[in-house]
Amino acid sequence: MFSRLELRLIKSTLKSRIEKETTELKQLDEDSDEYMEKANDLMVLGALVSKIGNSQH
């Protein structure tokens, strides 16, 4: 599937995106649709990072 190097790069990129999206999320109204979409995206990104971390062991 992916090499260890590729997985490490993907994981690093996802973590950077999570940081950026989290900063943006904090600026949104908690009741807005955009907030909910971004929060859901962050949960999926976190799950992907976790899967990649588990597959490297």
Side-chain angles (χ1 to χ4, degrees):
M1 186 145 196
F2 292 108
S3 71
R4 292 178 77 78
L5 177 61
E6 291 168 326
L7 287 172
R8 187 172 51 84
L9 179 59
I10 292 168
K11 185 176 176 181
S12 173
T13 302
L14 289 174
K15 283 184 173 185
S16 295
R17 176 142 181 220
I18 288 171
E19 288 178 25
K20 177 181 171 269
E21 298 276 335
T22 300
T23 301
E24 292 174 6
L25 182 70
K26 291 177 182 178
Q27 298 172 359
L28 297 174
D29 176 14
E30 291 182 12
D31 295 326
S32 71
D33 289 340
E34 187 177 1
Y35 181 94
M36 293 306 297
E37 285 180 26
K38 197 169 288 287
N40 288 335
D41 290 350
L42 282 167
M43 286 192 303
V44 172
L45 289 171
L48 288 171
V49 169
S50 178
K51 282 184 180 182
I52 290 171
N54 291 340
S55 71
Q56 289 181 312
H57 298 283

